[in-house]
Amino acid sequence: MFATHLRCRDCQAQYDLKMMYACPKCGGLLEVEYDQANLLNPEHILHPDSDFYGLWKFHRMLPLKDTKNIVSLGEGDTPILRADRISQTWELPIDLYLKAEMLNPSGSFKDRPSTMAVSMAKELGHKAVVVASSGNASAAVASYAARAGIQCIVFIPKSTDPGKIVQAQSYGAKVFAVDGTFSDAYDMSMKCAVEYDFPNCTSTYVNPYTVEANKTVAYEIFYQLKGNVPDYITVPIGTGPLLAGTFKGFEELLAMGLITKLPKMIGVQAQQCMPIVRAFTDGSPVLAWQEPIHTIAGGIADPLDGYTKDGETTLKVIDLCSGAMVSLTEEEIKKSTDAVEQLIGLYSEPTGAVSVGAVEKLFHENVIPAGSSVVCLVTGHGFKFTKRSFSSPSVIHTLTDLTF
Amino acid sequence: MFATHLRCRDCQAQYDLKMMYACPKCGGLLEVEYDQANLLNPEHILHPDSDFYGLWKFHRMLPLKDTKNIVSLGEGDTPILRADRISQTWELPIDLYLKAEMLNPSGSFKDRPSTMAVSMAKELGHKAVVVASSGNASAAVASYAARAGIQCIVFIPKSTDPGKIVQAQSYGAKVFAVDGTFSDAYDMSMKCAVEYDFPNCTSTYVNPYTVEANKTVAYEIFYQLKGNVPDYITVPIGTGPLLAGTFKGFEELLAMGLITKLPKMIGVQAQQCMPIVRAFTDGSPVLAWQEPIHTIAGGIADPLDGYTKDGETTLKVIDLCSGAMVSLTEEEIKKSTDAVEQLIGLYSEPTGAVSVGAVEKLFHENVIPAGSSVVCLVTGHGFKFTKRSFSSPSVIHTLTDLTF
């Protein structure tokens, strides 16, 4: 509502609020800028618009001009749950919370950027949207496109397991398999977006509007923890817009005088694909991940091939808040998933649970000190992980066959 | 909080508030009774307790004594979405809404009865709970048991597809396959419940506390439609506690003076298994369904074998509100599911979508008149339906290969 222009994150050049994916001058990523004096009114947070569900209660903090263009399925307002059974079992002297982002309508946090992107597409009068994704993002964008009555076009690499696109297809999305890698699928989505003027809703930093919706995670945590800012927020990341958007939300709350400190943001990757962790640890530029990838956390296994700039953007945020990056082994990821499911009762895909294992690791590495408060964003539903093993139940004939 | 005793639905005998499953005198189903004078205070609805999420905001309307025993994953407060694209596409002159019950934490409305049942189990000091279910109910009970740190024991018939118990097992539930039918599994759950004093949380009417949680659907609709009562509410039903509980909630709102009319309740079954529809249509007693069952709406395909009394209880509610029962063919169920997914953007299992197809059918049968307002409860997530077909996407090499 108070958005004024797009600004290049690199050269600071300004552009009108339309669908753009990179600075025409320098190729930098674009960000939404606002009329700060009007945006930073604490009333927008303290008295959100109760005519809308979930994250759209905060529509005055978002770039959409007219609320009649909101395309919503009730996303946002995901619960925060205390995770005492995890901190006790793992002997962590930490005030631990999980934010259940998997409870968004299509089953992942990607509903936040997608509701924003499709609403902007509607406001700008587009008849179709495109997305390169073989997972949560394609499902999310397809669901909002169905809600809006807009065509959704999905690009996946040819090697994608067809089972992963069932959800997007069920919403009516048209799926194309690109002969090549994910990078090729991404390139094709961009060519299609430019050629046909269909907004690209791929949930990297490419669409400047999508990251804005992630700010609402901060507003919700502010409410849910009754104004207390957690010391750390751990976030599973492929490229990092959720981490960056959440931090931007807290920066706004600080600028409004509603909070007095900022959280430290922790990005979490799988050791099997950790281009941003590697750059953080080595103090080197972000390079595309070339090694083979074998991980159960497929949703964050993004080699950043062709858009390492996204990784740099995330590292700038980590640097700004004195945060950290950390990676988990496959065993640690499995342990995290089991803990979220068996100690908390939330069904979680392994990707989404890495934020929890990160806390244990960083506590033992003396990065997160005893007595800290930590919110873990648990980003994807357990239903998304279809390759689960299960044990054949014992067959019983009488009550005496029961063994506990 | 204001619950005073259990009362037999048949002979009206009263019992203390403990875990009981049938009237010891006559075998009738039990219901929770309250101190009505204190329960029916409009303040409990108009100023719910904002310290709690979702349905537990209304804890003063529920039988739990102490809020410290609440076992919650943030269930309830599911969005209501206007379904104009369905009413337009199907040419229904009806004000149509979907209540997205599939967005509860474990993926179905069963989280309502389960959070109630497991919270009561905790309050009454039990160390384990049992449930007979090969689907949504076992997942729901297992998730709350995990949240509470209580053992969950699931009974399924031996013939159950092992894939259907993956979710319950992931939460840590212990699953036993009973040599026999679902009735045998149900009998075994009851024997186990009685022998070990483990509350039976099976989501028929057997556990008198579970149905109470379904009242909160009415309170939420009251808020979401700003005090307007829909003319009809359509509900997918196996036995019917969701329908009965929702109606009970509206009866309370009426008694409080917050609304001036009651909705007509519509129960929906699949033609492949419709014991309650048959009794409604024929004006005959409810008989167990003996015919073979082949339906994609497995979640409501309950033959009621051994508990036809549940069907009678539901029919009493239908009669009281001048409601109706209706059944859908497999083709109609498929069409309903596609509509919910492709016209609204909500991923839905076929079971959950039958409430939507029922509206079209009853409009054309002149049961639901033009100009009516209807809320359809869409009860289970699309992830629950694992036997989806999908089409292999076209492989493209260049932008010119694209066809829309």
Side-chain angles (χ1 to χ4, degrees):
Chain A
M1 183 175 244
F2 300 108
T4 54
H5 53 270
L6 296 176
R7 184 184 52 75
C8 175
R9 288 174 184 261
D10 289 342
C11 77
Q12 314 299 323
Q14 293 189 5
Y15 303 98
D16 288 346
L17 288 167
K18 53 188 178 183
M19 207 51 83
M20 289 177 70
Y21 309 107
C23 175
K25 290 185 187 151
C26 78
L29 293 167
L30 300 169
E31 185 173 26
V32 177
E33 284 286 317
Y34 299 85
D35 166 1
Q36 295 282 320
N38 278 310
L39 181 80
L40 298 175
N41 178 348
E43 290 299 305
H44 301 335
I45 300 295
L46 298 176
H47 297 101
D49 188 342
S50 61
D51 278 351
F52 297 89
Y53 282 127
L55 68 83
W56 286 106
K57 285 198 303 286
F58 301 109
H59 64 80
R60 290 171 295 196
M61 300 300 292
L62 297 172
L64 201 70
K65 281 203 172 63
D66 190 334
T67 55
K68 80 174 193 298
N69 296 315
I70 290 175
V71 180
S72 172
L73 293 165
E75 57 293 325
D77 258 354
T78 55
I80 276 193
L81 303 176
R82 282 194 65 93
D84 295 347
R85 291 191 69 217
I86 292 180
S87 48
Q88 284 158 13
T89 305
W90 290 359
E91 298 180 355
L92 301 175
I94 280 170
D95 206 15
L96 195 66
Y97 299 85
L98 309 190
K99 187 155 170 70
E101 283 293 291
M102 80 280 274
L103 299 185
N104 280 297
S106 84
S108 85
F109 86 93
K110 299 269 178 173
D111 285 343
R112 293 184 194 264
S114 301
T115 185
M116 187 74 241
V118 175
S119 298
M120 284 303 298
K122 184 178 175 187
E123 182 153 280
L124 297 171
H126 298 278
K127 299 298 178 211
V129 293
V130 305
V131 56
S133 156
S134 51
N136 293 339
S138 64
V141 174
S143 72
Y144 291 94
R147 179 79 176 132
I150 288 176
Q151 174 72 53
C152 177
I153 302 159
V154 175
F155 295 95
I156 57 172
K158 196 174 146 190
S159 60
T160 306
D161 170 5
K164 297 199 76 173
I165 51 152
V166 172
Q167 191 179 356
Q169 282 191 338
S170 297
Y171 294 123
K174 187 132 193 179
V175 180
F176 292 98
V178 178
D179 191 13
T181 64
F182 182 78
S183 272
D184 297 311
Y186 181 81
D187 286 348
M188 191 67 81
S189 76
M190 195 47 81
K191 281 181 194 155
C192 177
V194 172
E195 174 72 20
Y196 294 100
D197 195 22
F198 296 160
N200 195 330
C201 300
T202 302
S203 67
T204 56
Y205 288 95
V206 70
N207 182 319
Y209 302 103
T210 56
V211 71
E212 296 303 299
N214 295 323
K215 297 191 305 185
T216 57
V217 172
Y219 313 152
E220 293 174 18
I221 292 174
F222 170 77
Y223 263 90
Q224 292 172 317
L225 298 189
K226 299 181 188 298
N228 293 310
V229 176
D231 298 316
Y232 297 87
I233 298 178
T234 61
V235 190
I237 67 172
T239 56
L242 176 59
L243 184 148
T246 300
F247 188 69
K248 189 174 181 182
F250 279 107
E251 288 182 304
E252 289 170 345
L253 294 174
L254 187 73
M256 288 174 183
L258 291 173
I259 58 176
T260 55
K261 70 163 193 176
L262 292 168
K264 292 183 169 65
M265 305 299 296
I266 310 280
V268 191
Q269 301 199 291
Q271 280 193 8
Q272 284 285 314
C273 181
M274 50 168 202
I276 308 179
V277 173
R278 183 173 57 189
F280 174 81
T281 309
D282 297 352
S284 60
V286 178
L287 302 173
W289 190 258
Q290 308 287 1
E291 291 84 336
I293 299 168
H294 301 286
T295 179
I296 53 170
I300 49 173
D302 190 331
L304 301 183
D305 191 10
Y307 44 93
T308 53
K309 201 184 284 276
D310 282 51
E312 301 290 357
T313 302
T314 299
L315 280 180
K316 272 185 207 151
V317 177
I318 297 283
D319 186 49
L320 194 62
C321 66
S322 308
M325 289 293 309
V326 65
S327 67
L328 298 194
T329 64
E330 292 303 292
E331 198 177 326
E332 289 164 339
I333 295 171
K334 177 73 172 61
K335 179 183 171 185
S336 304
T337 312
D338 286 349
V340 173
E341 293 180 343
Q342 295 169 19
L343 298 176
I344 305 299
L346 285 174
Y347 207 36
S348 172
E349 64 174 345
T351 292
V354 298
S355 52
V356 181
V359 180
E360 184 181 38
K361 193 152 193 168
L362 292 175
F363 170 72
H364 291 299
E365 288 179 359
N366 298 313
V367 175
I368 296 182
S372 301
S373 60
V374 184
V375 173
C376 308
L377 305 188
V378 186
T379 48
H381 214 303
F383 296 117
K384 301 277 194 167
F385 183 53
T386 51
K387 294 189 175 155
R388 285 177 189 265
S389 54
F390 51 87
S391 26
S392 291
S394 319
V395 176
I396 60 167
H397 300 80
T398 70
L399 197 62
T400 51
D401 293 340
L402 280 181
T403 50
F404 304 122
Chain B
M1 185 174 237
F2 300 109
T4 55
H5 53 271
L6 296 176
R7 183 184 52 75
C8 175
R9 288 175 184 260
D10 289 340
C11 77
Q12 315 298 324
Q14 294 188 5
Y15 304 96
D16 288 347
L17 288 167
K18 54 188 177 183
M19 207 52 83
M20 288 175 72
Y21 309 106
C23 174
K25 290 183 187 153
C26 76
L29 294 167
L30 300 168
E31 185 173 25
V32 177
E33 284 286 317
Y34 298 85
D35 166 1
Q36 295 283 321
N38 279 309
L39 179 81
L40 297 175
N41 178 348
E43 289 301 304
H44 302 335
I45 300 295
L46 298 175
H47 296 102
D49 188 341
S50 60
D51 278 351
F52 297 90
Y53 283 127
L55 67 83
W56 286 106
K57 286 199 301 286
F58 301 109
H59 63 79
R60 288 171 296 194
M61 301 299 293
L62 297 171
L64 201 71
K65 281 202 172 65
D66 190 333
T67 56
K68 81 174 192 301
N69 296 315
I70 289 174
V71 180
S72 173
L73 293 165
E75 56 293 326
D77 259 353
T78 56
I80 275 193
L81 304 177
R82 282 194 65 92
D84 295 348
R85 292 191 71 217
I86 292 180
S87 48
Q88 284 158 14
T89 305
W90 290 0
E91 298 181 355
L92 301 175
I94 281 171
D95 207 14
L96 195 66
Y97 298 87
L98 309 190
K99 188 156 169 70
E101 283 293 291
M102 80 280 273
L103 299 184
N104 280 297
S106 85
S108 85
F109 86 94
K110 299 269 179 175
D111 286 342
R112 294 185 193 263
S114 301
T115 184
M116 186 74 240
V118 175
S119 298
M120 284 302 298
K122 184 177 175 189
E123 182 154 280
L124 297 171
H126 298 279
K127 298 299 178 212
V129 292
V130 304
V131 57
S133 156
S134 52
N136 293 339
S138 63
V141 174
S143 71
Y144 291 95
R147 180 77 176 133
I150 287 176
Q151 173 74 53
C152 177
I153 302 160
V154 176
F155 295 95
I156 57 172
K158 196 175 146 189
S159 61
T160 306
D161 171 5
K164 298 200 75 173
I165 53 152
V166 171
Q167 191 180 356
Q169 282 190 339
S170 296
Y171 295 123
K174 186 133 192 177
V175 181
F176 293 99
V178 178
D179 191 13
T181 64
F182 183 77
S183 271
D184 297 312
Y186 180 81
D187 286 349
M188 191 68 80
S189 76
M190 195 47 82
K191 281 181 193 155
C192 177
V194 171
E195 173 73 20
Y196 294 101
D197 195 23
F198 295 160
N200 194 331
C201 301
T202 301
S203 67
T204 56
Y205 289 96
V206 70
N207 182 319
Y209 301 103
T210 56
V211 71
E212 296 304 299
N214 295 323
K215 298 191 303 186
T216 56
V217 172
Y219 313 151
E220 292 174 19
I221 291 174
F222 169 78
Y223 264 89
Q224 291 172 318
L225 298 188
K226 300 182 187 298
N228 293 309
V229 177
D231 298 316
Y232 297 87
I233 299 178
T234 60
V235 190
I237 67 173
T239 55
L242 176 59
L243 184 149
T246 300
F247 188 69
K248 188 174 182 182
F250 279 107
E251 288 183 304
E252 289 171 343
L253 295 174
L254 186 74
M256 287 175 183
L258 291 173
I259 57 175
T260 56
K261 70 164 194 177
L262 293 168
K264 291 183 170 66
M265 305 299 295
I266 309 279
V268 192
Q269 301 199 291
Q271 280 193 7
Q272 285 283 313
C273 180
M274 50 169 201
I276 307 178
V277 173
R278 182 173 58 189
F280 175 79
T281 308
D282 298 352
S284 60
V286 178
L287 302 173
W289 189 258
Q290 306 288 1
E291 292 85 337
I293 299 168
H294 301 286
T295 180
I296 54 171
I300 48 173
D302 190 331
L304 301 183
D305 193 8
Y307 45 94
T308 54
K309 203 185 284 274
D310 283 51
E312 302 289 358
T313 302
T314 298
L315 280 180
K316 273 185 207 150
V317 177
I318 297 281
D319 187 51
L320 193 64
C321 67
S322 307
M325 289 293 309
V326 65
S327 67
L328 298 193
T329 64
E330 292 304 292
E331 198 176 326
E332 289 165 340
I333 295 170
K334 176 73 171 62
K335 181 183 169 184
S336 304
T337 312
D338 286 348
V340 172
E341 294 180 343
Q342 295 169 18
L343 298 176
I344 305 299
L346 286 174
Y347 208 37
S348 171
E349 65 173 345
T351 292
V354 298
S355 54
V356 182
V359 180
E360 184 181 35
K361 193 151 193 167
L362 292 175
F363 170 71
H364 291 299
E365 290 180 356
N366 298 311
V367 174
I368 296 182
S372 301
S373 59
V374 185
V375 172
C376 308
L377 305 188
V378 186
T379 48
H381 214 302
F383 295 117
K384 300 277 192 168
F385 182 54
T386 51
K387 294 185 176 159
R388 286 179 188 263
S389 55
F390 51 86
S391 26
S392 291
S394 320
V395 176
I396 61 168
H397 300 81
T398 71
L399 199 60
T400 52
D401 294 340
L402 280 182
T403 50
F404 305 121

